[in-house]
Amino acid sequence: MPLGLAVVLALGPTVALADSPEPVPSPSVVEAPPGVADAPSSDDPLVPGVVGGGRAEYPMDTPDQVLPPLQSQGDIPVPEPEADVDELVEYLPRSVIAAACTATTGTHQRQVERLLKLTVDGVQSAADCKAVKAFQVREKIKPANGYAGPVTWARAELLAARKHLDPGRRCPVKKYAVACVDLDRQLMWVRKDKKVTFPVVNIRSGRAGYATRTGWHAVYWRHKDHWSSIYNTPMPFSQFFSGGQAFHAVYGQIATPTGSRGCVNLSHANARKLWDVLRKGDRVYIWGKRPGR
């Protein structure tokens, strides 16, 4: 653990939010089992399919702090992202990077088949590869070789949500603003009554052992130029809603093989826009579970 780790005060008792459907409990500690990752276990691990692409946001996202972060930090300007930070680069096994159209079944094969209206059997076929490759070309996902990985799935899920935002009506419709976070689809949006005030975007939630806490929360602290006091990592546009869990920007792709350590990560551009939409006290409702292996 790095030197200078801040010691913070213990949390107080459960606090009920005005107009909230239920009280917001103090979060409990979630321990990560040794070696747990969110990516499929394989002798051929997933890597960015383009050299230099799919960069990680920084060495590590902030660990899920059960306690709120220190609020006495000065405003140290965080770096601006590189110009191509939002480029869509698929993660795939090294063995299929050079393939024109891969015969390898992807980590998100079944989900992509469903979203592209293909035969849903979870097994790659020549027809699947052709359809997935065409989708990747259209959406500028690199490399376009038909591998159904996390980036292709995330993009397909986002496009589907733009047509049917909340088919299961999971997010409560309230007269006040609610930030809706769907862990099943790794998406979020903000609505106030029936009006969507922040359109649906891709997010990255907590990996196994560091799950993003579900249920009702509220934004209790906002820090535009936040730095993690644990790993000295920038967390631009941080909006904390549960202990150390916050909405914040990262400097790389959102649809990576692994999740965050509890925070709800957004692209730099989307986190910047969300900063102008949410306010202290706004409600956050989270449901579902980040898809596993």
Side-chain angles (χ1 to χ4, degrees), residues 14 28 53 56 58 68-69 89 117 143 160 198 215 223 227 238 276 283 287:
T14 296
S28 57
Y58 259 71
V89 177
K117 295 180 171 52
F198 180 78
H223 195 189
W227 284 77
S238 285
D276 293 329
R283 308 298 194 269
W287 71 92

Side-chain angles (χ1 to χ4, degrees), residues 170 181-185 212 214-215 285-291:
R170 300 294 302 276
V181 182
D182 183 344
L183 302 184
D184 295 327
R185 295 184 293 167
T212 301
T214 56
Y285 185 70
I286 304 174
W287 71 92
K289 180 180 180 182
R290 179 181 170 86

